[in-house]
Amino acid sequence: MTGASRQAVVIGAGIGGLSAAMRLANAGLSVTVLDMAAGPGGKMRTRDSVAGPVDIGPTVMTLKGMFETLFADVGARLSDHVTLIPDEILARHHWRDGSTLDLFHDPERSAAALRDFGGARAETQFRRFSDRARRLFEAFEGPVMLAQKPSLPALTAHVLKNPALIPAMAPGRSLAASLSSQFTDPRLRQLFGRYATYVGGSPYLSPAVLGLIWHSEASGVWRVEGGMHRLAQAMQRLAQDKGARFRFNARAARIEQQDGQVCAVHLEDGTRIPADLIVFNGDPKALVDGHLGQGPAAALPRKGVEARSLSAFVWGFAATPAGVELAHHNVFFCTDPKREFDDLAAGCMPADGTLYVCAQDRGGDAPTGPERFEIILNGPPGHPSTPEDAYRCRTHTFETLARMGLRFSPTPDITALTMPGDFDRAFPASDGSLYGLSPHGMMATFQRPTARTTLRGLYLAGGGAHPGAGIPMACLSGQHAAAAILSDLASTSTSRRTATPGGMSTGSATMASARSPSSAS
């Protein structure tokens, strides 16, 4: 069978699935992408409003080089398909005592803002923290994020060659504990501790190394003109230009296998789609829980999906704001972050939680009339999400913001709210978790499933797979999945050319090694 005749099916048109589909189609495979939703994007979703589509998933792009590489790898340029607008203000932060702090793309402007906010000590501590985050990011980028399988030995070797990284990593300490020794001002501990939530964790339980997330944001934040969903649409169009076919409103029900090799995907409506290769771009827990059959359920370990990351209560609406000058990104902090995360750990909606407000029409010309907003309150996975919870969330969200000076007209009703239970229904077996495996614990990074599974022909992509949550990492997961597939196809082709009677060829041995349980996640 030639490479061009290989039938690849991608289940899920999220960013990871789209990334894999673009690369596989560009390599000449016959690619079909399935998704149970009406369009591409996965968690990069929208809600209709009187002001236009409101993004109710990711709101900005960081690490845009990941996407520039993706488009370049298929012979295109990102800038020809979407218009990116840099955010000079990374975020505007508000505390209950009335203090505010803007952080900027320009590090010197941020340092000056810290000096005005908390004096010379705060500026010095911020500069040290930023340098530490940069060094950690650079240390983890090669052996962890960019590697198809994160290598603890490679990371250890790098750290041993650079022993100054050891105190920066603060092994055995949580992010919150590390920040307590880096910042005197509790407001700054709260601010930078919040970066653990970017991958669905609590700063009190996540490892100190997650401070590196600050570097990814400090390196630049970009809005997509027209909304983030335009990025998913552009990726779909480019995959189609390369020959990929898309079927929406098509829910996969079962992965068929023969002799330990995938061979088809069955849809809920009874359609059977032949497949030599399958990329699963859903929550890997759906496979482990048996939602697509018992063969896939045994294809990856439960420890890679069992501890769940945070969920959220997400508002998406249009209204006219008043009382606070908003940036594109705005964070309204709660009084006691420890209490917020204790509530989440107990499986409860926070009684007093930090609120993220994305003013999607800010950052350019002053908007007139209703504006589009997304507001996020962290939520626990597995939350039952009753109507009573929706009304309680509405009261907490908008009364809290009003006390901090921000009001909306009209105040949205509960139909504008997506709760953890809604996310669980939209993304089967996820428990409403938005980031897959919890980042808690030093070894969480190395437990996340990688692209290869132990079922031949079944691969993973998406935020639940390595290297993790966030659209740059999901994009990179698709790259890892496509690279694993093309490498395995090349090994198969080599084995057929070099096989000798009565023995295993070099190519076959390579393939067996690539698919052994020790090399699969």
Side-chain angles (χ1 to χ4, degrees), residues 198-219:
Y198 282 33
V199 290
S202 159
Y204 300 95
L205 299 172
S206 298
V209 72
L210 289 191
L212 63 79
I213 297 173
W214 159 244
H215 179 72
S216 68
E217 183 161 288
S219 299

Side-chain angles (χ1 to χ4, degrees), residues 115-277:
R115 185 171 60 251
D116 293 341
F117 179 78
R121 175 183 288 182
E123 178 192 357
T124 298
Q125 292 173 340
F126 168 74
R127 288 184 183 275
R128 289 174 178 167
F129 171 73
S130 294
D131 179 66
R132 183 174 187 159
R134 175 188 57 79
R135 289 185 288 117
L136 287 172
F137 186 92
E138 291 171 352
F140 274 71
E141 185 177 24
V144 178
M145 288 180 278
L146 296 180
Q148 282 190 38
K149 183 176 183 181
S151 170
L152 184 58
L155 178 62
T156 301
H158 179 79
V159 171
L160 291 176
K161 291 178 182 177
N162 301 272
L165 285 170
I166 296 175
M169 293 173 65
R173 301 191 76 190
S174 70
L175 178 59
S178 175
L179 292 171
S180 69
S181 65
Q182 294 183 69
F183 289 103
T184 306
D185 192 324
R187 295 171 299 178
L188 299 180
R189 300 174 196 166
Q190 184 178 24
L191 189 163
F192 291 108
R194 183 168 175 78
Y195 283 92
T197 67
Y198 282 33
V199 290
S202 159
Y204 300 95
L205 299 172
S206 298
V209 72
L210 289 191
L212 63 79
I213 297 173
W214 159 244
H215 179 72
S216 68
E217 183 161 288
S219 299
V221 167
W222 286 264
R223 289 176 284 126
V224 176
E225 187 176 82
M228 289 299 293
H229 56 281
R230 295 285 182 87
L231 174 63
Q233 292 168 352
M235 294 171 72
Q236 178 194 347
R237 287 194 299 269
L238 192 50
Q240 287 174 319
D241 289 345
K242 300 296 178 180
R245 298 172 300 279
F246 284 77
R247 294 184 61 167
F248 294 109
N249 299 306
R251 181 166 181 160
R254 182 168 66 90
I255 291 174
E256 181 184 346
Q257 60 174 327
Q258 292 180 5
D259 300 323
Q261 164 78 41
V262 301
C263 61
V265 175
H266 293 256
L267 303 183
E268 270 193 343
D269 65 6
T271 303
R272 181 182 184 274
I273 302 174
D276 302 300
L277 306 159

Side-chain angles (χ1 to χ4, degrees), residues 300-318:
L300 59 157
R302 180 164 287 278
K303 70 178 181 180
V305 303
E306 198 155 50
R308 306 306 291 164
S309 62
L310 293 177
S311 187
F313 297 84
V314 179
W315 296 91
F317 62 95

Side-chain angles (χ1 to χ4, degrees), residues 11 32 75 84 153 176 184-185 200 352 362 394 433 463 467 481:
I11 302 174
T32 299
L84 299 181
T184 306
D185 192 324
D352 179 19
R362 299 295 175 111
R394 183 176 188 264
S433 169

Side-chain angles (χ1 to χ4, degrees), residues 37-123:
K43 295 186 178 76
M44 191 177 283
R45 307 179 307 148
T46 63
R47 183 189 298 278
D48 291 336
S49 81
V50 295
V54 183
D55 282 324
I56 53 172
T59 53
V60 290
M61 176 189 292
T62 58
L63 301 176
K64 73 180 175 74
M66 300 285 187
F67 288 91
E68 290 172 332
T69 297
L70 166 63
F71 279 67
D73 284 351
V74 299
R77 292 193 307 175
L78 177 64
S79 59
D80 290 338
H81 294 267
V82 293
T83 299
L84 299 181
I85 305 166
D87 265 341
E88 292 302 316
I89 299 175
L90 300 179
R92 179 163 292 161
H93 306 87
H94 306 256
W95 283 269
R96 299 290 174 85
D97 63 3
S99 58
T100 62
L101 173 65
D102 286 357
L103 293 177
F104 298 90
H105 184 194
D106 180 349
E108 291 305 313
R109 288 185 70 186
S110 287
L114 264 294
R115 185 171 60 251
D116 293 341
F117 179 78
R121 175 183 288 182
E123 178 192 357

